[in-house]
Amino acid sequence: RFKAVIFDLDGVITDTAHYHYLAWKRLAEAEGVHFDEAFNEQLKGIDRMGSLDLILAGAKRTYSDEQKLALADAKNRHYQELIATMSAADLLPGAVDALAAVRAAGLRIGLASVSKNAFTVLERLGIRDRFDYVVDAALIAHSKPHPEIFLTAARELGVDPVHCLGVEDAVAGVASIKSAGMWALGIGNPDVLTRADRVIPALDGFKLEDYQ
Ligand code: G6P
Ligand code: MG
């Protein structure tokens, strides 16, 4: 039934979700905002400025647009330091096998990450050419949970959303997939990813034939 699989990147294919977490935590704590894994869960899949707004909502002071841009830039520089030494060794277990299985089954493969660093990460991992289409986050107006990014990937792949399977580790990402009218495979904890059609702990449990 599926004709395309559209993957999220951070936290699905590689553990950059942890690097985003570390970079946001340092920023939040410098601004006097308590930051933990539970709060971070709400930031997954949310774009840079949207994430910053969620963090600064917990601060005692207010920030000008200029100050917010400076903080977002500082977070991004820290994040880029953290990803600078990434390589194929940072692919999560099962990621390459999952991509190869989808390719072997003759399905199209898309990547839908709102990260403006996604192309850099794909290059470092050495998997850019495994995707038929990678959404350019700079061209996306609405962050997840809005369906725009998954719908854009489907359109560019030339596949109707009802024939797409989306793969996500984030609550906002699963919501984006479901709002796009696609089938959602969650990666992580079923108690967190309650809207997913199926949840597996990690991509090394990926079995395309189970989802047809
Ligand atoms: C992904 C991650 C988020 C991150 C966002 C923007 O959605 O899950 O944690 O904030 O991308 O990333 P960027 O690299 O553009 O700051
Ligand atoms: Mg993610």
Side-chain angles (χ1 to χ4, degrees):
R1 122 167 124 104
F2 296 116
K3 296 179 179 165
V5 180
I6 303 170
F7 291 87
D8 173 47
L9 175 66
D10 299 313
V12 170
I13 288 175
T14 184
D15 199 15
T16 38
H18 184 63
Y19 295 144
H20 282 294
Y21 166 78
L22 291 176
W24 283 130
K25 186 174 168 69
R26 187 168 89 178
L27 180 148
E29 289 175 350
E31 298 306 310
V33 177
H34 176 71
F35 194 86
D36 56 21
E37 295 274 0
F39 183 72
N40 183 62
E41 213 51 51
Q42 301 173 42
L43 301 183
K44 290 184 181 174
I46 307 295
D47 65 15
R48 197 180 306 161
M49 294 310 288
S51 299
L52 181 67
D53 282 339
L54 287 170
I55 291 168
L56 295 183
K60 293 203 170 56
R61 50 167 293 203
T62 57
Y63 297 82
S64 67
D65 287 348
E66 202 178 16
Q67 288 168 328
K68 284 190 199 174
L69 280 175
L71 287 172
D73 275 354
K75 183 270 176 179
N76 192 48
R77 281 196 303 277
H78 184 198
Y79 177 72
Q80 287 178 338
E81 278 167 33
L82 293 171
I83 65 171
T85 56
M86 282 181 78
S87 70
D90 295 292
L91 284 156
L92 282 169
V96 166
D97 288 345
L99 291 166
V102 176
R103 174 71 74 221
L107 280 62
R108 308 271 282 154
I109 308 180
L111 188 96
S113 170
V114 301
S115 172
K116 297 194 169 71
N117 293 293
F119 285 101
T120 306
V121 172
L122 288 182
E123 293 296 339
R124 292 213 184 288
L125 295 172
I127 55 167
R128 170 63 186 89
D129 59 2
R130 289 179 178 270
F131 296 88
D132 297 301
Y133 183 73
V134 176
V135 178
D136 181 352
L139 305 178
I140 295 298
H142 309 285
S143 178
K144 299 167 188 176
H146 193 284
E148 180 184 1
I149 191 162
F150 278 95
L151 290 174
T152 300
R155 189 188 66 230
E156 295 295 327
L157 291 169
V159 177
D160 192 297
V162 299
H163 294 128
C164 292
L165 186 164
V167 187
E168 262 290 350
D169 68 315
V171 175
V174 169
S176 173
I177 293 170
K178 294 314 295 174
S179 300
M182 301 177 182
W183 198 91
L185 178 65
I187 302 294
N189 182 346
D191 296 331
V192 174
L193 304 175
T194 53
R195 289 189 64 196
D197 294 294
R198 179 85 69 92
V199 180
I200 57 175
L203 269 189
D204 56 3
F206 183 86
K207 286 202 184 63
L208 187 58
E209 56 278 15
D210 284 1
Y211 319 129
Q212 304 283 352

